[in-house]
Amino acid sequence: MAAVTNVSSDLVWQITRNQNSFLVKRNSGGGSQFSRDPLNLQNKHSFKYAGYANTKAIGVQASGSNGVSVITKKPSNPQQPGKNIVTVNYGPGASNRKIYKGVASKTAKNGYRGDIREDAVARVSAIRRAQKAKKETPARKPRGAQAKKAAEKESE
């Protein structure tokens, strides 16, 4: 049986902060650094939002057919990364309020990252807003001088 070693989140971050598969570096904008980590709510390259480095993390993503997936990381078994991800899917028929409540309750359990609750709910809100169908604006009716010109063309 192999010895199980616990590595702190801070150490993981210090080792991987300059090079990891989720890091995106941009030369424009003052050398900004972003993250493609699915457990990163802000897509910012920082320890607070790095889902791979923290033992407790939450991610919100759009799923197929206008749904939302909430991904959480269980802190109980960090040495088994395949088993410590929990995904909850909300379909397109789920109300926004139900999804907000689900995300807020995930972050409120036993002190599970209450500092990112607002960011998680904002991410759900942005995804749901983007999934809404655009309203068709009807063609504007001409008024004033333009209406007179249109009426003259039709009468000719």
Side-chain angles (χ1 to χ4, degrees):
M1 186 168 156
V4 178
T5 59
N6 292 328
V7 180
S8 73
S9 298
D10 294 321
L11 181 61
V12 170
W13 173 250
Q14 288 297 323
I15 292 170
T16 61
R17 69 182 173 152
N18 291 327
Q19 290 183 339
N20 64 63
S21 63
F22 302 118
L23 181 60
V24 178
K25 294 182 179 181
R26 295 284 183 244
N27 290 333
S28 62
S32 303
Q33 294 184 345
F34 300 102
S35 177
R36 289 191 178 130
D37 186 4
L39 294 173
N40 189 325
L41 293 169
Q42 292 284 324
N43 293 337
K44 291 180 182 176
H45 181 67
S46 68
F47 176 66
K48 178 179 179 179
Y49 296 111
Y52 71 90
N54 288 301
T55 55
K56 297 177 182 179
I58 187 167
V60 178
Q61 293 182 334
S63 64
S65 70
N66 292 340
V68 176
S69 295
V70 179
I71 307 163
T72 54
K73 201 171 171 183
K74 290 191 282 187
S76 59
N77 55 350
Q79 62 273 14
Q80 295 177 331
K83 293 182 180 180
N84 70 353
I85 299 289
V86 177
T87 304
V88 178
N89 293 317
Y90 295 96
S95 69
N96 289 346
R97 195 172 262 194
K98 180 179 181 180
I99 300 172
Y100 298 154
K101 187 175 179 182
V103 169
S105 68
K106 289 265 187 218
T107 57
K109 289 182 184 174
N110 302 326
Y112 190 95
R113 298 295 305 269
D115 60 327
I116 57 175
R117 178 181 303 126
E118 189 176 325
D119 295 324
V121 172
R123 179 87 175 216
V124 170
S125 178
I127 289 171
R128 294 295 282 206
R129 197 175 328 114
Q131 289 174 342
K132 275 188 178 179
K134 301 282 185 200
K135 290 184 180 179
E136 295 277 337
T137 56
R140 294 184 61 174
K141 294 179 183 177
R143 296 180 180 199
Q146 292 178 349
K148 289 180 184 176
K149 288 180 185 177
E152 289 173 5
K153 283 185 180 179
E154 288 179 11
S155 63
E156 290 178 352

